[in-house]
Amino acid sequence: MPESDPNADTKAAFKAALERKQQSQHSGADHTDAARGTAKNTHAQGGKRQFRRKSGG
């Protein structure tokens, strides 16, 4: 008997891809032993901020 949903193959392909993606995300190393707060203020800039007005009209 033919499938009633013409998009069944597409749905199955997307579902398989999603499962592969989730498996690859879960297979990564856990970073539970990483020190917390060591990367604090990594983007901080020293000095006073300068604001410049746009030239042109």
Side-chain angles (χ1 to χ4, degrees):
M1 178 158 113
E3 295 176 357
S4 61
D5 189 6
N7 294 326
D9 291 335
T10 306
K11 288 180 181 181
F14 274 107
K15 187 174 182 178
L18 180 61
E19 288 173 0
R20 283 194 308 269
K21 180 180 177 182
Q22 290 174 346
Q23 288 293 328
S24 68
Q25 288 176 348
H26 292 308
S27 67
D30 290 335
H31 297 286
T32 57
D33 59 344
R36 300 260 181 213
T38 56
K40 198 171 187 180
N41 295 329
T42 56
H43 296 289
Q45 295 179 0
K48 188 176 180 182
R49 293 180 67 181
Q50 294 181 353
F51 297 94
R52 296 189 180 202
R53 186 177 299 217
K54 284 175 121 178
S55 62

